[in-house]
Amino acid sequence: MMAPPWLDVLDETIKVCVTHNRHDLELRLREKRARQLDPTVRVLVIGEAKQGKSQLVNALINAPVCAVGDDITTTVPTFVRHAETPSAALVRSASRRSAIASSPTERVPVPIDQVAQQVGHEVVRAEIGIPRALLTTGLVLIDTPGVGDLRPAHTASTFAVLVQADAVLMVSDATAELTATELELLRKVLENCPNVTVVVTKIDISPQWRQVVERNRALLARAGISAQLFPVSSALRLRAAKSGDKGLNAESGFPDLLACLQRDVVAGSDRLARRTVAAAAGSAITQLVAPLREELSAQDSRRTADTIGALHEAQRRIDELRRRSARWQTVLADEMADLVSDIEYDLRDRTRTILREVDRTFEEADPATGWDAFEQWLEDNLTEAATTNFSWLLDRAEWVAEKVARSFPVHRDDLLPPEIFPDDVLDRVNKLDRPRIESFSLPQKAFTGLRGSYGGVLMFGLVTSLAGMPLINVISLGAGALFGGKSIKDESDTRLKRRQAAARAAAQRHVDDFFLKFSKDCRDAARHVQRSLRNHFTTLAEELQETLLESARSAKRAVQDDQTERERRAREIRSDLDALVALYKRAQALGGPGLELSA
Amino acid sequence: MTPHAAAWAMLNEALAVYRDSPRATAFLRAQLARFGEPVRVAVAGAPGAGKSTVVNSLIGEEIAPVEGLVSYRDGPAPRAVVIAPPAPPQEVPIVRRDGRQRVDSGAWRSQQVERVLVDWPARSLRETSLLDTPGGASPELVFGEADAVVYLMRHMHDADLRFLQAGGDRPSVSTVVVLSRADEIGGGRIDALSSAKQIARRYRRDPQVQPLCQNVVAVAGLLAVAARTLRDAEFDAVAALAALPRTDLEEHLLSADRFVGHDFPVALAPQVRQGLLERFGIFGVRLTATLVRQGFDTRTKLVGQLVQRSGLGELRDAIGQNFTERHEVLKALSVWRALEFVLRAEPRQGARKLTADLERALASAHDLKELRLLAALQTGRTTLPGDLEAEAVRIVGGEGTDPVARLGMDFEPDERSLRLAVTDVLRRWQDQAVNPVLDTAQRAAAGVVVRSCEGMLTRLS
């Protein structure tokens, strides 16, 4: 036997779904495939609450197998199929099935039969077997809970069963025309199953059922839904079955509905399969095509934009780095020049203060007596000046390092160099030269005194000799002593001045030496700092640049790769699309005549 | 000050504050006019839910449905005015045809008509005026126009639930849900109405429906209208039907088609039967025939029985208890909502005090919560174990609203002992409010009681 054409289309569609990694679609189609190969035909009875769905099923098979009641009654889907003896089973969960009640379901006196009482929360569906000619061909009627009542679980279970349906009977009662929500439901059903028949029930209690049917036809036409519509009365049908009244049965409208079921659903199962497959494959292919189309149209814009964007970003960052490294170098040079001049000025300032102090000291003090103490004082002061100056240099250098780090283009934790300072620069400066200190010895003093007194004796001796006094007399001797004393004092003053001048000169020299030496050291230190900072940051910048260049190169490669990849992908998508469209056409061809036939 | 008086005062104050805004003034004046009217009850529901039928049954007169918003109020003589802006209000004649009243809005097309005002002399309209709303009316329109709502539905559908939820906190204090067309439940079986009443009872306890209405009743609108306007000819026809042997008649009452079919055993013209069918429905015909046979064989007896069975009495009681008796609170609520709207739409400096007052009034609308709990406890929707229930009813004001009555004291206490007693009760109910043995509804009820106790305590200090 040759496989029917719809099977080929379905299998191919499944294959395509697999290659496109749409396992959800694949699963759905496989389910459809299994069902189409299954000889049973499932007819789902669907509708809003309290429209008479269960009663319709009962009336179709002339047996009260489904519970009917005035309040919400049906809570789980009920499958009614053929069986040699009446039997019922509840399916408790997806896999486990337990036959609870095998009681005959025909003659239960209350409307709620055994099955309905046993239905608990864990039951997912009820299965009822009953010997009926209508069902022998493999017809399965599925009664469902009402859609849109207050328990969403009911609606959900109804939609779960909808996927399995080969045909759907949409039930709406004759007391009111189709509501907006019912039309919405009908549309939703049509998406899953194209074989829908609308059944208008309860025509026995509605005097205006003819108008309602007419309005429903108009509503369906306006909504663009081509479905047959049958007005029926389950109550009349059941009563006719009980009394065997043929006329009443005809009045109930069921013969027409049954004929339609037989003709269109049961006998036309191949056409049904074709229509179902056409719809299912069509919807699956549409779902496959949509993302492909999207990808194709988005390719040029979105994906390329990403890679090119990455490239631009990398180049921008390299430029930025270049710009910034020029800036950090300038900062370093400027700051270090400032630093050196500041440091030198500071040192000079400090030494000048010391020298002024020295001057003041030696205006009064005699180097001969306090030289040692002075030497100690000078040494201490210079050391202090040097230490302060140098620590300032260190602080400033550190600050400069931070400033440079700030103007560096990226931030890293190891930006600041660990050690940029030279070892101790404070070498000893040469020892302070002791100035030559002349002493003023006693013979010298005597000689100087005598030399001074000679003049005095002679001056006053000559004056007094005029008065007849001898050259050497009391007055001249006294004057001689006075002059001698003065000469000694003058001489010792002169010597003190000389000593002070010598001491000052020595101190000056020493401080100059110190300044020269130390300022050189500081300058060296500063240059050392500058050099190590420059090395440090240059290394960092080089590393960074290398990284950026690498990322730019890879972005560039990506752009090039992307280009080829994209072209390849576009070709692939186009061929996929062509294949899908061809398949879609085949699927449509499958359903086409069937759809026309039923219209 | 009662909520009613407070609302009146606030409305007048708002008029003073907004005297320079013509729009707000017009709106507030309309509210002021509405304040003095009887409670306005809107009848709402999906298209085909039977709104006009229920309105007719409440008025006791068959008035053919008019498209759009129709408000019915008590008046000395039947009179109808069509309001269709920008045209001035225009009076239109009411004509009587085939025993039905018809508002002859002929020249007006339904899209133009904003609303139709109908004055009708009827006792039932003296304390409540009715508002028949169009099928697709939005919740905002319905809850905004009316002080209370009778919401019709055939079975609770998602859409109905959404409509009531859109009303915010209003449905829970001012809505009665009606299972209309109760006669069609159960395929028009003779016991359909008792079945419908059971379903109504179930909905009353449904956790999803319960917080959205005060009560659920089942009403067979068609039957109710027919009963209230039963004509002699109709009674005679029904009596003739009842005279037939039961089995013979049953055969012809199987379906509407059969009832108006040819070989009918009684000499009733097809038009008469058609008329009966239109007025009563097939269920109504079955029921009246059975009732006549059971001995309700005079017109008065039959009408009484039909009104009772149709559920109209229950609906009237529900409207009376929930709306008419509490019209002061409902009016106050409507005014507060209107003020809230005005204050929000045109906020201004001078309205500060008003805003604060309004906030206080709405926040202290604990009165409403108490009423809600009282209704729940008394209808058995909420039950509390043991003596707690009686005590809760007492504390929320079931026996009077002064502290002594609330606490159930049989002596006149001094302030100190009163305070002690309140503190004691408060503590016990605070425990109940978190008692894990009670279910959520019961704990919520205990919460309301706690709030009542706290209210007493603040009033004492």
Side-chain angles (χ1 to χ4, degrees), chain A residues 50 70-71 175 204 251, chain B residues 154-155 181 189 195 202 256:
Chain A
K50 306 323 303 165
D70 298 340
D71 204 348
T175 54
D204 53 324
E251 262 178 61
Chain B
R154 310 179 72 185
H155 262 275
R181 303 177 79 156
R189 277 195 331 275
S195 188
R202 183 179 70 75

Side-chain angles (χ1 to χ4, degrees), chain A residues 212-284:
Chain A
V212 171
V213 166
E214 275 322 302
R215 274 205 296 276
N216 281 350
R217 286 217 167 93
L219 281 171
L220 288 177
R222 203 185 310 158
I225 298 167
S226 62
Q228 281 181 291
L229 199 145
F230 291 95
V232 299
S233 162
S234 306
L236 291 186
R237 158 87 168 173
L238 284 170
R239 192 182 172 86
K242 216 177 275 173
S243 61
D245 186 338
K246 285 254 164 49
L248 198 58
N249 189 24
E251 262 178 61
S252 73
F254 269 82
D256 290 344
L257 178 62
L258 283 169
C260 166
L261 268 182
Q262 294 277 9
R263 186 181 67 236
D264 288 356
V265 180
V266 182
S269 72
D270 180 63
R271 208 184 61 212
L272 207 77
R274 276 177 20 201
R275 283 174 65 179
T276 314
V277 167
S283 113

Side-chain angles (χ1 to χ4, degrees), chain B residues 247-376:
Chain B
T247 42
D248 288 6
L249 185 60
E250 211 171 65
E251 195 69 3
H252 289 92
L253 287 179
L254 275 179
S255 72
D257 283 4
R258 285 203 162 203
F259 184 66
V260 294
H262 291 302
D263 47 350
F264 203 73
V266 191
L268 284 175
Q271 298 93 308
V272 177
R273 280 179 274 145
Q274 186 69 43
L276 272 185
L277 197 58
E278 272 169 23
R279 290 259 291 153
F280 287 81
I282 192 75
F283 167 78
V285 175
R286 284 180 199 159
L287 181 68
T288 42
T290 312
L291 286 176
V292 170
R293 208 177 284 127
Q294 280 175 357
F296 299 98
D297 48 5
T298 66
R299 191 168 172 276
T300 331
K301 277 188 193 168
L302 185 64
V303 167
Q305 189 59 213
L306 284 178
V307 167
Q308 189 215 325
R309 292 211 175 200
S310 66
L312 181 61
E314 275 179 57
L315 176 59
R316 276 198 208 139
D317 288 351
I319 291 177
Q321 277 169 14
N322 293 309
F323 303 159
T324 318
E325 283 174 20
R326 296 177 43 212
H327 71 275
E328 293 203 340
V329 179
L330 292 178
K331 282 288 174 194
L333 253 184
S334 292
V335 166
W336 285 336
R337 300 287 169 200
L339 284 178
E340 211 177 19
F341 171 71
V342 171
L343 289 174
R344 214 170 344 142
E346 291 185 33
R348 56 177 63 190
Q349 204 62 20
R352 277 253 184 85
K353 177 178 172 295
L354 204 56
T355 313
D357 283 352
L358 180 62
E359 244 168 57
R360 198 171 315 122
L362 282 174
S364 66
H366 178 64
D367 300 2
L368 296 174
K369 279 190 207 144
E370 284 184 341
L371 284 171
R372 222 174 287 155
L373 177 61
L374 208 55

